[in-house]
Amino acid sequence: MSPGPAKSRVWGRLAELRGPGVPPKALDARALAALASNPGCRRRAVLDGAGVDKAALASALGAPPVFGQSQFALTRGNAFEARVKAGDGAELLRLVHATLDPAAEPPREAAVPDLAAIGPEGRTARTALALREAAAVRGGWTLLDHPMLALDVAGSATFLEPDAVVVHPDGSWSVVEIKSFPMLDGSADPAKVGAAARQAAVYVLALEEVAARLDPAPRVRHRVLLVCPKDFSNLPTASAVDIRKQRAVTARQLARLTRIQDIADALPEGTCFAPDLPAAELTTAVEAVPATYAPECLAVCELAFHCRARSRAAGAVTALGRPLRAELGGLTTVEEVLSAARGASGDPADPAVAALRRAATLRAEALHETAPGGETADGAALGGKALPGARAGQEVAPCR
């Protein structure tokens, strides 16, 4: 079946943005999960929707990305995953049973179907067949090792490969994420757990599309299993992670991506992100799409260094972090913040402006406090008492 005229027009517009003859870069679960970490960024939305290679684009702009896993981390992660799945996944299934489904019959044995096929389309079809067969046979456990799932993104199929999917005896499905970062005393780094939860939410959405095609539709569990090394050992331990919030955010962002035409149509005629264009043309094209930079972008987006430099040059307070940006209300630049603090602008009834002026008053009092006897403390004393760490006669540099 050929695509409709509207969808064909969208694909044509996205191809124009990539550049003549530039193939689209396929999205993966990490990229889709990163969209949910900054849903307000139109720049990332249009670049990912068009399949632009953001790493190549950032390098052409002179701000190449520097994040990513080392070869050592990849090797360690692969070795840990192999240990978790050894013996037809006996240890992994034990963790699933103990953490997600303790009321079910213990997994003394489980089916581990062969998912090998030619190409991602073949593997996706083989995975869907294995899930259908496992859901039809109630009462047993089934482990799908590295299944292939497809998720519709901006009108095209994106192929995803979770670490594992488990079919429970009641026919429900669970996603398993295996990570190499440690779980110390039963808890792990919240930032890393959050990234893993957003990634698992993408897999859950893809599984829900498979389940929706079955009758009756199996239940896709919204509590996923996160498996990590225990403390400083190589022994696996697990925790259940509720990803309902991440799933909802990701679903909204993906729905926004399917309307990427609205963003693309607002761009100037001839806008193109082909990496072989001159840096000046690429800069103009990138700046034509509004960005919402935050420090968290440095860990998930290839264009983060370029956007950070632009954000700093514009004096945007988002470069200082989302919490601070939220506290400042309608003040969007550092210059506006300083002007409001000095009393040169801003509505005194605005809580953010009032707080800034109060902070400026307290700072001025601290820096110009007069010591007993009329001598100026030059910031080395406050209320007649020496500030911590200030020696006699030493000036304390003002805050900058």
Side-chain angles (χ1 to χ4, degrees), residues 66-79:
V66 296
F67 68 87
Q69 282 189 302
S70 66
Q71 189 60 42
F72 172 76
L74 290 172
T75 302
R76 182 184 59 189
N78 291 336

Side-chain angles (χ1 to χ4, degrees), residues 363 367 378-380 387 390 394-400:
R363 179 178 181 272
L367 293 177
D378 288 330
L387 287 173
Q394 178 188 13
E395 287 192 0
V396 176
C399 300
R400 298 188 184 276

